[in-house]
Amino acid sequence: MAKIFVTHPIPGAGVDMLRESKHEVAVNRESRFLSRDELLEAVVGCAGLLTQLREAIDAEVFDAAGDQLKVVSNYAVGFNNIDVDEATRREITVCNTPGVLTEATADIAWTLLMGVARRAVEGDHIMRAGDWSGWKPTELLGGDIEGRTLAILGAGRIGTAVARRSIGWNMKLMYTARSPKPDMEALGARHVDLETALREADFVSVHVPLTPDTHHLLNADRLAMMKPTAYLINTARGPVIDESALVVALKTGKLAGAGLDVYEDEPALKQGLTGCDNTLLLPHLGSATIQTRARMSELAARNLLTVLDNQAPPHAVNQIQA
Ligand code: GLV
Ligand code: GLV
């Protein structure tokens, strides 16, 4: 029997699956995230941790847990919050939840794309404020979507699902990736370099993981390559964009708008961002559907339990030699 700690309650069957195992399961009972000190205390003696994307899981946590720690199962596809190299050195398996949240996240990218291009939330605010005086030829003019060019930065599962949705809008597709992707080529998408994508696209949607290489991938210089009529969408990780440079670009008319689900310093926003009308800002909702969060829950539990049973988990992000 091993000890498992779930750092925050999750919806779905995951916690029940853990409880039905032979292991001893503790769940954070606070209706909030634990402080760092509370987390370090709660993990002592655990062999398995079920963690959240906003928690830094690093050497300090591994030290606090102890040598018996075998698996960290993140309730997310992204795992930039975990020091995977350090985990690998300590033979701790790190797991994530790809696949099950692909379609929900692609939907949020499209929600942002359509919402910002057609100024849907600005319109909603006018209605609620009682400020609508009736139809006008020039009210809240947005940008066309049909037939325009969509660039996908990072052609993984989610980027490809976003691209697939564009077929109904007859869009020209391009994508960046280290090598050509058959699924993208099958959609008629053109494999281009980052500069071409930024210079030619009307919509740029970010789908790269956050790594040292992609931190501030979209800095001031790269944002300046985009057309002033273009929109930037980010459902990946906030630090991929230099958010302060984005605020300047939006305020000075260098971009038509931005739709963001993720931020550089969540939950804080860079100064000036909420003052930009041409933005649609969502609170990290990519995977936030009842069905998707339930699938993530089951997958995170299965990942954790299979490692404790000395079997290969459905989704590990590192390889531990047995
Ligand atoms: C959400 O951001 C995730 O990585 O699952
Ligand atoms: C990345 O892991 C993706 O699902 O696109």
Side-chain angles (χ1 to χ4, degrees):
M1 192 170 83
K3 276 175 77 175
I4 296 171
F5 183 61
V6 179
T7 65
H8 193 279
I10 53 173
V15 172
D16 286 342
M17 289 167 61
L18 298 177
R19 289 197 195 286
E20 283 157 18
S21 75
K22 57 182 184 287
H23 304 296
E24 180 189 328
V25 182
V27 180
N28 165 16
R29 285 282 161 226
E30 305 291 336
S31 50
R32 58 170 172 82
F33 278 85
L34 298 181
S35 70
R36 184 72 177 171
D37 285 346
E38 289 169 331
L39 179 70
L40 294 174
E41 199 181 310
V43 300
V44 173
C46 287
L49 301 177
L50 197 152
T51 57
Q52 301 295 329
L53 62 87
R54 53 187 281 181
E55 296 160 337
I57 305 296
D58 53 14
E60 192 182 28
V61 174
F62 303 148
D63 283 341
D67 287 345
Q68 75 297 324
L69 182 62
K70 246 175 118 166
V71 55
V72 173
S73 178
N74 216 35
Y75 186 65
V77 66
F79 49 87
N80 54 287
N81 59 308
I82 301 173
D83 187 341
V84 177
D85 289 342
E86 184 60 29
T88 306
R89 265 192 293 281
R90 295 172 185 236
E91 303 189 346
I92 298 165
T93 302
V94 177
C95 300
N96 68 338
T97 63
V100 294
L101 46 61
T102 300
E103 303 302 328
T105 308
D107 285 344
I108 279 289
W110 269 85
T111 302
L112 289 168
L113 188 159
M114 300 196 73
V116 72
R118 299 307 304 272
R119 306 181 67 175
V121 173
E122 289 174 80
D124 180 87
H125 287 162
I126 289 173
M127 302 308 285
R128 284 172 202 275
D131 286 344
W132 195 43
S133 58
W135 189 91
K136 286 193 255 348
T138 53
E139 185 161 48
L140 288 185
L141 301 187
D144 267 346
I145 299 169
E146 200 275 339
R148 300 186 82 200
T149 299
L150 171 62
I152 304 286
L153 308 187
R157 295 178 184 84
I158 298 168
T160 305
V162 171
R164 183 161 35 78
R165 283 161 173 67
S166 75
I167 300 302
W169 281 263
N170 197 28
M171 296 178 92
K172 297 176 195 75
L173 273 173
M174 48 179 65
Y175 69 99
T176 65
R178 271 190 219 104
S179 54
K181 299 282 185 169
D183 288 349
M184 281 294 206
E185 301 288 321
L187 294 171
R190 192 153 65 95
H191 184 218
V192 297
D193 60 25
L194 180 59
E195 182 165 345
T196 304
L198 295 174
R199 289 197 189 283
E200 294 187 15
D202 300 301
F203 297 91
V204 172
S205 192
V206 180
H207 301 287
V208 292
L210 175 61
T211 67
D213 286 343
T214 62
H215 183 267
H216 283 194
L217 180 71
L218 299 185
N219 57 18
D221 290 345
R222 297 247 171 74
L223 292 172
M225 293 174 183
M226 292 179 65
K227 299 187 206 177
T229 51
Y231 298 87
L232 179 61
I233 309 300
N234 189 7
T235 54
R237 281 293 182 268
V240 175
I241 299 176
D242 179 341
E243 202 172 297
S244 300
L246 176 63
V247 170
V248 173
L250 289 165
K251 289 211 178 222
T252 54
K254 301 281 166 49
L255 276 184
L260 306 177
D261 191 42
V262 289
Y263 304 88
E264 209 172 330
D265 308 308
E266 295 181 16
L269 304 184
K270 289 285 192 225
Q271 192 169 4
L273 189 59
T274 56
C276 299
D277 289 336
N278 46 346
T279 55
L280 206 170
L281 307 176
L282 294 180
H284 205 144
L285 295 180
S287 65
T289 72
I290 293 164
Q291 298 81 3
T292 293
R293 288 280 165 84
R295 285 193 296 267
M296 290 166 64
S297 179
E298 290 175 31
L299 181 50
R302 267 201 293 135
N303 278 334
L304 195 153
L305 291 173
T306 45
V307 176
L308 291 186
D309 283 348
N310 299 313
Q311 286 164 19
H315 292 287
V317 305
N318 59 352
Q319 285 285 326
I320 307 300
Q321 302 305 329

